[in-house]
Amino acid sequence: MPLVFPHRRNSVLGLGAGICLLLAFLVFVPSAGAQNVNARDQAMDLATQAYALFEENRLQEALPLARQAVATVEAEYGPDDSDLGLHYFLLAIIEYGLQDFPPALEHMNRSLAVCETSQDCGDPFLVDVLWYLTNMNFEMGDPQMGWEQGDRALAIWGGMDDIDPLMLAQAHEQHGHNLAYAGGFSQAQTHFEQTLAIQVEVLGDQDPEVADTLVAIGYCLAEQGQTPDALAMFKRALPLLVNGLGRNDPRTAGCLRSLAGAYYDLGDYTQSVAYYEQAVAAYSQDVANNARSLALSLHYLGEAHVGCRQYDQALPLFEQALEMENAQPGLLPQGFAQKLLLNMAECHEVLGNPELAAELRALAREPDGSSFVLPENWYKR
C-alpha cells in the first residue's frame, strides 16, 4: 500500500542565490587595466538590471540583458575570464526559471568550470552553483551527477563558518527528497537523519518540521522493506503534527495515510481502516484543495475494507472515488480508474451481482479506460 512522501517545502534550490549573487559582485573584482574597466562596468550594469528583473519574476525581460552581459565579457576578455562565473550563473538561473533546461544546464556548467579555475570565486558562490546543478541534473534525468554534486555542495557548505544550521538542514532535506525520488532510499535516509539531528538541536523535538522529517525517514525505511521501523517513525510524527498543526491539516492527513499504509502492508487491516478513515475526514474539510489526496484515500480505505472482507463498505468508497475522477478527469494517477473498476467488480462479484462485475471488468479492459465517463448513477443499479 503506497505511503505518503512528505510534501516538499520551499525548495532549497537557489536559497542562497540572492546573497551569493551579491557576494559575487564583491568578490569578482575587476583585475584588468583602466582601458578595460568600461567593458566590465557595462557588463556589471547589465547584470544588475537583469537580476533586478529576475527578482521581480520578469524573466523574459531579464534574459536578453543577461545574454548581453555574457557577450560583453567574452568579447573583451575571452571565454575564461573570472567574471564569467557570475554572468553564466545569472544567465542560467533565468533560463532555468523559464524552464529552458538544456541551455540552463550548459551555462551553469560553464559557471562551475570558471569557478574551479578562478581564485576569485568564494565558497558561498560555488555552493550555489553546485546546488543549482544538483537540482537541474535530478530534474533532467541524471541522478548520479546530481547526487555527486549535491554531496560536494553539502561538504563545502558544512565546513563554512557562520552557516545557518536550519538552512543546512533544509539543504540535506532537499537532497534527501531528490535521492528518494530517484530511488536512492538508503542515501536519502542518511540525509533526512542529518536534517533531523539539526532540527532537534535548534527547534526541539516537538516541532512539526521534525515530524515531517520523521515521516520522510519512515517512508525511506518502508521502501527498504523495514515496515515496522517505518511505522514507529510515523507514530512518533503524528502527535507532533496534531499538536502543532491540528488534526485536519493536510500534513497531518498525510501522516495518517502513511500510518494506514504501513498497517495495511503489515496485514493489520482493521488499524489501516481506522487511520484511513481519519485521513478521509481530514481531507474532506477542504475538498477543493485536497481532491486528489481525498480520492486516493477513499480508494485505499476501500481496499483496507476489502482486506477486512467488508465488501459492502468498500464498494461505496470506490464509487465515490470514481465519481470524483469522472467529475475531474485526470485527478487520479494513470491506471487508477481501472483499479477502481476492478475493485468494484470484485465487490459486486462477492455481493451477488456477477453481471455488473462482468461489465465493470470489460470497461477496465478498454484501451483508454483512464478517460472514460460512466453514465450517471450507472454503477448504483
Side-chain angles (χ1 to χ4, degrees):
M1 182 69 63
L3 306 178
V4 181
F5 200 30
H7 178 68
R8 294 190 197 196
R9 291 183 286 278
N10 289 335
S11 172
V12 172
L13 182 63
L15 270 180
I19 296 171
C20 288
L21 201 58
L22 293 175
L23 286 171
F25 277 103
L26 297 175
V27 300
F28 282 56
V29 179
S31 56
Q35 71 276 14
N36 290 330
V37 169
N38 288 339
R40 290 193 187 277
D41 286 349
Q42 180 185 1
M44 197 60 74
D45 182 59
L46 289 165
T48 303
Q49 294 178 57
Y51 185 65
L53 292 168
F54 171 81
E55 290 265 271
E56 297 174 7
N57 202 35
R58 295 161 63 184
L59 304 182
Q60 290 288 1
E61 297 172 65
L63 184 62
L65 297 175
R67 286 174 173 166
Q68 191 177 348
V70 168
T72 299
V73 173
E74 284 184 331
E76 188 70 25
Y77 311 111
D80 300 319
D81 187 81
S82 62
D83 278 17
L84 284 170
L86 165 65
H87 294 300
Y88 281 136
F89 175 84
L90 178 56
L91 178 57
I93 63 174
I94 293 170
E95 291 167 332
Y96 190 69
L98 291 167
Q99 298 188 319
D100 196 0
F101 298 129
L105 183 62
E106 176 190 351
H107 291 134
M108 196 61 76
N109 274 316
R110 288 189 186 181
S111 180
L112 177 62
V114 171
C115 283
E116 289 177 327
T117 58
S118 171
Q119 296 290 326
D120 296 327
C121 183
D123 282 347
F125 185 67
L126 177 59
V127 165
D128 249 26
V129 172
L130 286 166
W131 203 247
Y132 266 96
L133 282 170
T134 296
N135 287 274
M136 287 179 183
N137 279 299
F138 273 110
E139 290 190 24
M140 295 182 67
D142 191 351
Q144 183 62 39
M145 181 61 72
W147 180 353
E148 293 171 3
Q149 288 168 330
D151 283 348
R152 183 181 170 193
L154 285 166
I156 297 170
W157 204 350
M160 290 164 51
D161 295 331
D162 301 323
I163 184 171
D164 180 345
L166 288 179
M167 187 173 286
L168 180 59
Q170 197 177 354
H172 279 293
E173 179 196 42
Q174 177 71 24
H175 201 39
H177 277 279
N178 283 335
L179 289 164
Y181 281 115
F185 299 109
S186 175
Q187 297 81 8
Q189 181 184 336
T190 298
H191 286 282
F192 288 134
E193 287 169 346
Q194 290 174 284
T195 298
L196 181 64
I198 297 171
Q199 288 175 332
V200 169
E201 182 178 351
V202 178
L203 301 173
D205 60 3
Q206 299 298 305
D207 194 279
E209 300 292 321
V210 171
D212 286 335
T213 306
L214 289 169
V215 173
I217 293 171
Y219 179 91
C220 292
L221 287 166
E223 290 293 334
Q224 295 172 78
Q226 302 173 46
T227 308
D229 293 333
L231 184 64
M233 288 290 173
F234 301 144
K235 284 183 174 180
R236 283 178 59 188
L238 182 59
L240 307 187
L241 292 166
V242 171
N243 293 335
L245 303 175
R247 186 162 288 277
N248 293 327
D249 188 88
R251 286 156 65 183
T252 307
C255 184
L256 289 165
R257 276 178 60 192
S258 289
L259 270 166
Y263 275 118
Y264 186 96
D265 289 343
L266 292 170
D268 190 341
Y269 303 121
T270 300
Q271 286 279 44
S272 182
V273 165
Y275 282 107
Y276 274 128
E277 285 178 341
Q278 293 178 60
V280 166
Y283 287 131
S284 297
Q285 300 300 310
D286 185 4
V287 176
N289 289 317
N290 297 314
R292 180 185 174 96
S293 295
L294 175 58
L296 287 170
S297 297
L298 289 165
H299 168 86
Y300 292 129
L301 174 57
E303 291 194 329
H305 276 297
V306 168
C308 294
R309 303 294 188 265
Q310 297 167 340
Y311 297 96
D312 57 333
Q313 296 182 55
L315 182 58
L317 296 166
F318 297 138
E319 291 173 349
Q320 187 179 347
L322 189 59
E323 283 181 336
M324 294 180 70
E325 168 67 18
N326 285 339
Q328 189 177 336
L331 178 68
L332 293 170
Q334 187 173 8
F336 260 76
Q338 286 93 335
K339 288 183 181 180
L340 285 165
L341 288 169
L342 292 173
N343 284 332
M344 289 164 59
E346 181 183 0
C347 292
H348 278 295
E349 191 76 47
V350 173
L351 294 172
N353 302 310
E355 293 183 0
L356 282 179
E359 290 184 59
L360 287 163
R361 290 193 179 100
L363 275 173
R365 290 193 295 269
E366 291 292 325
D368 192 24
S370 62
S371 60
F372 63 84
V373 176
L374 291 175
E376 186 176 2
N377 296 324
W378 177 88
Y379 40 77
K380 294 182 179 179
R381 289 184 290 171

